[in-house]
Amino acid sequence: MLTADLAALSAFVDTRVGIDLQLIYDAARRLASAELPGRCVVSSWTALIDYLKLTMAHCEREAFRVLFLDKNNQLIADEILNHGAIDHAPVYPREIVRRALEVSASAVILVHNHPSGDQTSSSADIEMTRKIIDAARTLGIAVHGHAIVGRADVASFKALGSI
């Protein structure tokens, strides 16, 4: 319910209640993201997973997000670089590397969601990740991982042995 738009909520609850629910969800997302900057994201996989679930698990369209890290794995920036359709968000390795250089990132964590709820990686996901890793490596930028956010869980390419 928290991620539904106001029109959908209005079918079940009063408009004021729908607005309140949206405000609660927005406040929770802001609180979760406020806790991330200035912390070592890589060493706190659980906190990262909780944050990713909160911000991406219930999105209706696929989105590609990049967490940019400094040399101490502190979060510099968390940006959605592209939104897509229900089953695809175009990703361009050159844009990811360009943005990493702009923010002086030493490493990145790639994240995208699957609105279907299934966090299984496709062969296209794996191929695109390898292209990003190759492009970033040439400029000294590490790719610490790639996570796919489903409705209930988050899959890590590293844990699955995909990268």
Side-chain angles (χ1 to χ4, degrees), residues 71-145:
K71 65 181 178 153
N72 296 316
N73 290 325
Q74 299 291 316
L75 185 66
I76 297 171
D78 170 8
E79 299 178 4
I80 293 179
L81 293 190
N82 212 343
H83 282 98
I86 59 169
D87 63 350
H88 176 71
V91 178
Y92 304 100
R94 123 187 223 157
E95 292 302 311
I96 292 168
V97 172
R98 179 188 60 77
R99 186 65 183 136
L101 291 170
E102 285 177 352
V103 299
S104 300
S106 297
V108 296
I109 297 173
L110 311 172
V111 183
H112 77 280
N113 66 314
H114 283 174
S116 67
D118 178 15
Q119 70 270 11
T120 306
S121 60
S122 68
S123 58
D125 290 336
I126 295 167
E127 179 183 338
M128 177 267 310
T129 302
R130 289 188 178 138
K131 286 180 182 178
I132 294 169
I133 290 169
D134 291 342
R137 183 183 303 127
T138 62
L139 295 169
I141 300 166
V143 176
H144 285 328

